[in-house]
Amino acid sequence: MSTLAPIWIEGIGVWAQGAADWPSLRARMAETRAEPSDDECAGKPAAALLAPGERRRAPISVRLAVEAGAQAVAMSERDASTLPCLFSSAHGDSGILDYMCATLAEAPRELSPTRFHNSVHNAAAGYWTIATGCHAASDALCAWRHSFGAGLLEAIGEVLSGGQPVLLVSYDVPGEGPLGEMIDSRAPFGCALVLAPAQSERSLARLDVRTGPAQAVSSAQAPFLRWLAERNLSAGAAPLLEALADSGSHTLEMPAAPALGLHIAMEVAP
Amino acid sequence: MNTRVMTPLAVSAYTAVSALGNGRQGHARALAEGRGGLRENDISSAPLACWIGRVPGIEAHALPEDMAHWDCRNNRLVHMGLQADGFIERVRAARERYGRERIGVFMGTSTGSIEATEAGYRQLEDGRLPAALRRPGIHSLHSLSAFTAEYLDLQGPALTVSTACSSSAKVFAMASRMLALGVIDAAVVGGADTLCDSVLFGFNSLELVSKRPARPFDASRDGLSLGEAAGFALLERTDAAPDAPRLVGYGEASDAHHMSTPHPQGLGAELALRDALARAGLDAKAVDYINLHGTATPKNDEVEAALLARTFSTRTRASSTKGYTGHTLGAAGIVEAVVALTAIEHGLIPGNLGCDEPEPVCASHLALQAEHRPVHVALSNSFGFGGNNACLAFAHARGAGA
């Protein structure tokens, strides 16, 4: 059991079909309807931060991560070029992995070089640092079913050890092809938080985190968040996002590894 | 960046398996004798004409029965690597001392067990992966860390870093932060990547693979040789292993330049190097040996040679060891950390195998043949796609000036 120093959330970004930013997700959370409509499912992350050429080359997972990250940084009013960034994703771009495995099985010499370099798990971190001119540390991680909680713990570690704000982005896209059956991902979802080591006029919430044995995991109440959490491992963030939408005190249990939990006491500003 | 000097950590056990063999002795001997492990490619489904650093015996290696659900080439390599140098015994002792929930597992990989997914796509059954490969765990990039934690019976944080070729260098940074935070008392760090079609045909599509054995820093170099490897280190506070070599610094930085070519002036690489020296509280003059990233691609070595020449005097000896092992991608960080630790423990500067006519700018820094001299401080550079750079600093237990 370890008690960590407090940290503060300064920015929130989200993208889901039918909830393209934090205000829309808050509105969507109030609805009793869970499933997005066909029109909502046609939406794609804008990722306006990317230069047009990069945006054309970027796979959908990168556009999703960049969109969520850009929203969170804009809300925090921090300078993305100096902000260490950490991208967590259970499966990265599983659509590209499906393409690669299918091509390698049939015509390996025809593998596309662009899709190969886009297949690296740190593609989102690469495109993000290029778009923002960021020379700080960038990270790309995963922890399968615990990717959000593990990413949050690592991001807190970076905030506290470096004494500086850090951007955390967690995102997953739907699995495709035969690999898709092995992947617990059936809807796109990305979220991002700017975390800081001290309170400021931009603070949205204070988090006091204790690590310890895994407990019964908290789950969100809003039908849409529950729908997402069943279809996307990055939506492990759902209970934290739901708490952020409601000023006051909250306690949450989030898993960071099979036997390790994060006990989070949150104080959300009005 | 306001880098603070870090509290050094003991590297109380370490080991690696690569084309040079299984365990530290095999590596030290091959490096001392200048004997490489590359061979003609005989692995991919339609072999490309190139050379590879293949680990013999993986195909016949079996996981323990109770671990069969993790079986795949990459996890067999992990399991092979864990058997050498008393690593498991040292982890067991740490588990008894600290408790299994107080030890983290941080592993780096580039492609994890994608080789099993590739194999599944070659044998589809009615459009599905064959029944024997319908095991979600091995199709997750986290496969190697989940397997390592389960096999070693560790229950602390378990994370996989996948920043291409810097992955298993960055795990040292992550473990250091978790130790500093007090979340854990020890960490198993490492990484593994196996040869597979994704990387052989992928790097070939980018025209980065040489038809000959890789020649890092040679004026005529024309690309890399791919390899496979796994490696591990146990990090603890220094009072637990006062005589063990130490991790004294780490540095991380981004190029912000291009997805698959390095920054032309090596900006991210230099920031990572300076960050590592600052965290170690060391001047460049204190560095005895630097294990270079040295992939043998024309661009990487050009940029890294210039960085070496402008940062260090020729008192600092340097070499790339990718001519021995091939470029082991996500495992390169840990394998070359093991080389740097071997340099410190044996007073052995490995020769830069494959280089006959060195790049003029760094010719007087490069050790072309093995050199025997005391090494108190050794660095290891690891740079990845997406402009992801890391640098590690290790020192002798008696310190930089011992």
Side-chain angles (χ1 to χ4, degrees):
Chain A
M1 191 82 76
S2 300
T3 302
L4 309 181
I7 56 149
W8 283 263
I9 292 177
E10 292 188 343
I12 309 165
V14 291
W15 194 91
Q17 287 169 336
D21 56 22
W22 175 235
S24 350
L25 182 70
R26 290 183 71 155
R28 190 67 177 75
M29 276 157 52
E31 293 184 36
T32 51
R33 169 178 72 100
E35 207 165 324
S37 68
D38 288 351
D39 277 357
E40 287 172 331
C41 287
K44 289 210 164 36
L49 185 80
L50 298 175
E54 296 280 292
R55 191 157 60 235
R56 263 194 313 279
R57 278 189 290 275
I60 185 71
S61 61
V62 169
R63 293 178 58 141
L64 174 63
V66 166
E67 175 62 27
Q71 292 175 20
V73 173
M75 195 185 292
S76 75
E77 299 174 21
R78 294 280 177 184
D79 176 3
S81 72
T82 58
L83 206 57
C85 54
L86 193 161
F87 292 80
S88 184
S89 175
H91 296 294
D93 202 300
S94 40
I96 294 189
L97 299 181
D98 171 59
Y99 154 80
M100 297 232 324
C101 291
T103 304
L104 290 167
E106 288 153 22
R109 287 168 202 268
E110 288 169 23
L111 195 69
S112 146
T114 302
R115 297 189 86 176
F116 170 64
H117 82 218
N118 279 344
S119 76
V120 294
H121 198 69
N122 62 320
Y127 278 92
W128 173 267
T129 52
I130 292 167
T132 59
C134 172
H135 295 289
S138 54
D139 236 319
L141 11 126
C142 64
W144 196 15
R145 291 172 178 143
H146 306 100
S147 293
F148 178 75
L152 178 62
L153 177 60
E154 168 56 17
I156 294 172
E158 280 195 46
V159 169
L160 295 177
S161 73
Q164 62 186 344
V166 167
L167 169 67
L168 166 67
V169 182
S170 186
Y171 64 98
D172 273 291
V173 295
E176 291 177 30
L179 176 60
E181 190 188 345
M182 295 294 109
I183 286 179
D184 318 310
S185 196
R186 297 182 301 285
F189 178 72
C191 63
L193 300 170
V194 173
L195 305 169
Q199 190 168 16
S200 74
E201 66 277 11
R202 293 181 295 269
S203 300
L204 305 168
R206 171 183 163 134
L207 267 64
D208 286 274
V209 178
R210 211 169 66 224
T211 61
Q215 308 284 334
V217 172
S218 305
S219 51
Q221 299 306 309
F224 182 53
L225 290 179
R226 294 177 79 97
W227 184 89
L228 278 173
E230 285 165 12
R231 286 163 182 79
N232 190 300
L233 292 172
S234 284
L240 191 143
L241 293 170
E242 186 162 67
L244 276 172
D246 182 16
S247 62
S249 305
H250 305 268
T251 57
L252 300 174
E253 296 290 343
M254 303 194 92
L260 179 79
L262 305 179
H263 175 85
I264 304 174
M266 271 175 81
E267 196 60 45
V268 180
Chain B
M1 272 184 276
N2 323 309
T3 304
R4 304 172 197 165
V5 174
M6 72 174 266
T7 307
L9 294 169
V11 185
S12 57
Y14 62 95
T15 187
V17 56
S18 75
L20 293 184
N22 197 355
R24 281 151 58 178
Q25 272 308 328
H27 282 80
R29 205 175 307 127
L31 294 172
E33 293 168 3
R35 180 167 40 79
L38 300 182
R39 65 201 239 180
E40 283 187 71
N41 179 24
D42 55 359
I43 198 166
S44 46
S45 55
L48 295 161
C50 60
W51 290 63
I52 56 170
R54 182 173 182 173
V55 174
I58 303 180
E59 296 74 16
H61 188 86
L63 297 189
E65 256 174 54
D66 59 342
M67 292 286 142
H69 52 292
W70 290 115
D71 188 34
C72 60
R73 185 178 181 86
N74 208 50
N75 287 337
R76 287 183 191 191
L77 185 59
V78 167
H79 185 260
M80 273 174 91
L82 284 168
Q83 307 309 311
D85 296 317
F87 191 80
I88 291 173
E89 290 68 31
R90 185 77 205 194
V91 171
R92 187 178 300 132
R95 204 172 55 217
E96 279 161 18
R97 190 174 324 129
Y98 307 119
R100 57 187 182 172
E101 73 290 350
R102 297 287 303 171
I103 305 178
V105 172
F106 307 97
M107 299 285 285
T109 190
S110 176
T111 54
S113 35
I114 194 80
E115 187 268 345
T117 316
E118 291 173 6
Y121 273 68
R122 289 194 297 267
Q123 324 155 31
L124 293 178
E125 293 171 356
D126 298 327
R128 302 173 70 196
L129 296 181
L133 288 172
R134 271 177 230 153
R135 289 178 274 137
I138 61 166
H139 302 288
S140 151
L141 190 58
H142 188 54
S143 165
L144 78 169
S145 311
F147 167 62
T148 302
E150 193 173 315
Y151 177 66
L152 295 175
D153 189 21
L154 301 176
Q155 297 195 342
L159 270 166
T160 301
V161 180
S162 188
T163 53
C165 308
S166 59
S167 303
S168 62
K170 287 173 75 79
V171 292
F172 284 86
M174 192 169 281
S176 302
R177 287 190 280 265
M178 293 279 175
L179 273 149
L181 221 55
V183 173
I184 52 173
D185 294 313
V188 171
V189 299
D193 258 322
T194 21
L195 287 163
C196 60
D197 281 2
S198 294
V199 298
L200 282 158
F201 289 100
F203 280 95
N204 185 65
S205 76
L206 291 168
E207 298 174 347
L208 292 175
V209 181
S210 177
K211 290 189 164 50
R212 295 167 52 192
R215 287 159 283 150
F217 296 101
D218 191 281
S220 73
R221 69 187 177 276
D222 63 357
L224 47 79
S225 299
L226 291 160
E228 58 192 351
F232 309 90
L234 181 64
L235 300 179
E236 300 177 70
R237 297 192 180 87
T238 52
D239 55 356
D243 299 326
R246 287 160 187 202
L247 173 72
V248 294
Y250 60 83
E252 301 169 280
S254 308
D255 275 353
H257 175 68
H258 191 270
M259 277 306 290
S260 56
T261 56
H263 188 282
Q265 282 81 46
L267 181 55
E270 179 159 4
L271 289 169
L273 174 69
R274 298 211 173 276
D275 191 30
L277 288 171
R279 198 166 269 106
L282 290 172
D283 190 87
K285 287 197 286 287
V287 177
D288 300 298
Y289 172 60
I290 175 162
N291 186 286
L292 300 165
H293 188 55
T295 57
T297 62
K299 199 72 201 165
N300 175 83
D301 292 8
E302 176 196 321
V303 169
E304 200 178 13
L307 171 61
L308 175 65
R310 71 174 177 266
T311 311
F312 297 97
S313 77
T314 56
R315 197 196 77 77
T316 299
R317 309 304 293 155
S319 58
S320 160
T321 45
K322 288 189 172 69
Y324 296 84
T325 58
H327 187 359
T328 61
L329 306 176
I334 184 68
V335 168
E336 291 159 27
V338 167
V339 172
L341 290 161
T342 301
I344 291 171
E345 291 218 295
H346 292 254
L348 168 68
I349 311 267
N352 190 109
L353 189 66
C355 178
D356 299 321
E357 201 188 310
E359 273 284 327
V361 64
C362 66
S364 44
H365 293 77
L366 285 183
L368 295 186
Q369 309 289 334
E371 296 174 10
H372 296 271
R373 60 169 78 197
V375 176
H376 306 298
V377 175
L379 304 186
S380 178
N381 275 347
S382 298
F383 312 140
F385 269 12
N388 200 292
N389 306 281
C391 179
L392 299 176
F394 297 98
H396 197 280
R398 288 193 304 278

